[in-house]
Amino acid sequence: MKSVSTPESARPLAAAPPVPGGDPEAILAALDPEQRQVATTFGQPVCVLAGAGTGKTRAITHRIAYGVTTGQLNPRHVLAVTFTTKAAAEMRSRLRDLGVPAVQARTFHAAALRQLRHFWPRAIGGGVPELLPNPFAGIGEACRRLHLSVDRAALRDIVDEIAWARVGMVTPEAYPEAAERARRSGVAGFEARTISRIMTQYEEVKKERGVIDFDDVLLHMVGILSERPDIAREVRSQYRHFVVDEYQDVSTLQHALLRLWLGPGDDLCVVGDAAQTIYTFAGARSGYLLRFGKEFPRAATIRLERNYRSTPQIVRLANTVLDAARGATLQHRLTLVAQREDGPAPGIESFPDDPAEAQGVADRIAELIEQGRSASQIAILFRTNSQSEAFEDALTARGIGYLVRGGDRFFERQEVRRAMVALRAAARLETDDVPRTVRDVLSQLGWSPQEPSTTGAIREQWDSLNALVGLADVIAARPGAGMNDLVQELEERAEAQSAPEVDGVTLASVHAAKGLEWPAVFLVGASEGLMPISMAKTAAQVEEERRLFYVALTRARDELTITWAAARTPGARGSRKPTRFLDGISDHPSNGGSPSPHSRRTGRRTATTYTSCRVCAKGLETPREQRRGRCDTCPPLASESLMDELRLWRREKSRELAAPAYTVFTDATLEAIAERRPATDDELLVVPGIGPAKLERFGEDILDLLRNAPDNGDNSAGQK
């Protein structure tokens, strides 16, 4: 590592005096030795290689605070750049807590847009064009002008491809050759020359409408700073010290803008992890991180490898997955060192088919909730969004709330926007009861105290409104808080894209989960064809899938379960195999005598499901129908009196345990018990929703109830 001394000639100009009353040592006291080195290294470029859960945000915010407190940085000349609005808001919040509120922390686009609005009249003339929030309509119009018929899926692929080209600074004319080099031919079924024509036509559409999109913001600023030395000098006099987070995700366009911001200077601190590069398909270039020392020869490199997030067992598994990496993933490889006490070994569970996997995971989640784990502390992560539905159905059947990440941003959802308008109107009226007022207002928009039993859009809308109800309860608990305080909180959250927490299990793709963490994580669909995805053909693409798998593992703090299914549908031939990323995991040598991940087939995997209705013999499609063994429209096979007995028993047991009724058994499980009428432990165990833990806890009660039921007769109809 190069010297970390700070030559006087390399210090920033016009550095601010120390903050009055500031205590530099108090700032450093909260840091480990490597984080402290990050915070105290000035006068040269700094590359921080920070592994998952190693406290990188703490290190860079304390670096800024320490620099300001000691007078080495002027807060007005610092620009901290990150990739999401939420991350930028968190950074600003931490800096305020450290006593340096004047520092600018923004995304690349937000920082560039601010500059563009300021300099556009001087550099271009007139007002800044209106910003196009979504390119779909414009690119769709370009396709129509070229008489190209595209459905929504194809249009989405074209939008993504044009974005890839533009962040790579690839012009329409250069696109065909660039696409061939990157092996990106055949996007949406079109030749590269056709995509090039769409790109050209899209520029014409924007020009005619007088609008620009988000990529244009960066492109225009690169152009202005390149062509106007006077404006470039003005920007560089304003910002002299730069901090860039998630540097492994920087694109060619963002890197070009950053270099123009810097000019001849090199007062730059970057933070990243090559093992978490999962956006190369969108133009991210980890090479800027990997070759930072060559680009900035005076740079110091500091490694953060102490993991404070996960248990040693989870950390060991994540390290083992990277042990088999190849190519660029190995460059600057970080080996995480766990700082927490031991926890349970990660579980690797197999199931016969996808519905059984969803049911098994939902059963396990119900057990965790019964044991005291909050639903919001649990996440189900998957490779593709299409995998979500089965788990939504399984959780709904058990009465467990959930939220799906990765769709529309919370404050951009139509129901949330309508709710905010209605709540602003309500805030103009005098009211002493915030929770009641909010419930009354949102009830007119579709909210109800009882959560819906369906999945999809209805459920998502209810979850959105219910999150606002929950936030209202939190605000109301503050002394003297009223409706205006709630509205102000919502507006601040909307600006920072900080959605209120929903008390439900998080369902998310691994890409959407980047940067997040949960105490308990279920990584599902861990089979070949999904992880790595079947579209990953080249060695580089497979390595990106490995990094994605690694990111998924490192989202877990306390408990991690990896699951996969041998077949897609019940009764199909089990041809799937577990992901290659688990090869050698179970027998990998463990350090310190802690247990390695265990692979097992759970008792839940034997739960009997049905492919055809036992009443009308028609095929069953939904997981709920398959568990029950009949169509929703067919009459139940169980007597109502037996169902009443089971519900009464559940209510009494719920009161005895002081727990919600669904944590004992859901309605779907009670119905399955009543229809199948199991007579032994083994027969009870194959009822969906009953695992070994519930069998041990409630099995004897249920079997006694069934034996003593007055209408106990032949239960053969309930067997497969």
Side-chain angles (χ1 to χ4, degrees), residues 491-701:
E491 290 174 346
E492 291 176 355
R493 285 175 173 268
E495 181 182 358
Q497 287 298 330
S498 177
E501 183 176 292
V502 176
D503 187 20
V505 175
T506 299
L507 292 142
S509 71
V510 183
H511 283 103
K514 177 73 167 65
L516 304 175
E517 59 185 72
W518 295 268
V521 168
F522 291 83
L523 176 55
V524 302
S527 60
E528 288 289 308
L530 286 172
M531 291 182 178
I533 200 164
S534 58
M535 294 181 291
K537 303 296 185 183
T538 67
Q541 290 169 341
V542 170
E543 284 307 301
E544 177 138 349
E545 293 289 305
R546 181 184 299 277
R547 295 192 293 269
L548 192 63
F549 193 74
Y550 170 82
V551 166
L553 301 179
T554 54
R555 301 310 95 197
R557 294 208 298 261
D558 306 325
E559 300 180 58
L560 172 65
T561 303
I562 303 168
T563 69
W564 64 282
R568 182 181 179 188
T569 58
R573 184 170 66 89
S575 58
R576 288 178 181 162
K577 298 183 182 300
T579 174
R580 71 190 73 175
F581 303 144
L582 291 174
D583 288 351
I585 291 294
S586 59
D587 57 358
H588 188 274
S590 55
N591 299 320
S594 298
S596 295
H598 58 276
S599 178
R600 62 190 175 100
R601 295 181 177 181
T602 70
R604 293 183 297 278
R605 81 180 286 276
T606 62
T608 303
T609 56
Y610 299 84
T611 58
S612 59
C613 178
R614 291 176 292 148
V615 179
C616 70
K618 290 183 179 179
L620 300 176
E621 297 181 357
T622 69
R624 180 180 178 87
E625 289 179 335
Q626 291 167 353
R627 285 192 302 274
R628 190 169 49 193
R630 64 175 174 82
C631 303
D632 287 333
T633 55
C634 287
L637 298 173
S639 70
E640 196 57 42
S641 61
L642 180 55
M643 281 298 297
D644 289 342
E645 289 285 334
L646 287 167
R647 291 191 187 101
L648 177 61
W649 169 84
R650 182 180 64 176
R651 184 162 59 249
E652 293 173 348
K653 185 61 65 175
S654 170
R655 290 171 179 168
E656 176 186 327
L657 298 174
Y662 72 83
T663 64
V664 179
F665 284 129
T666 64
D667 286 343
T669 299
L670 290 185
E671 190 173 347
I673 291 171
E675 293 195 354
R676 300 183 186 208
R677 301 192 65 120
T680 66
D681 284 355
D682 288 342
E683 291 177 2
L684 193 58
L685 193 58
V686 300
V687 174
I690 299 181
K694 291 202 174 184
L695 176 67
E696 181 178 355
R697 193 167 191 181
F698 305 125
E700 186 176 349
D701 285 355

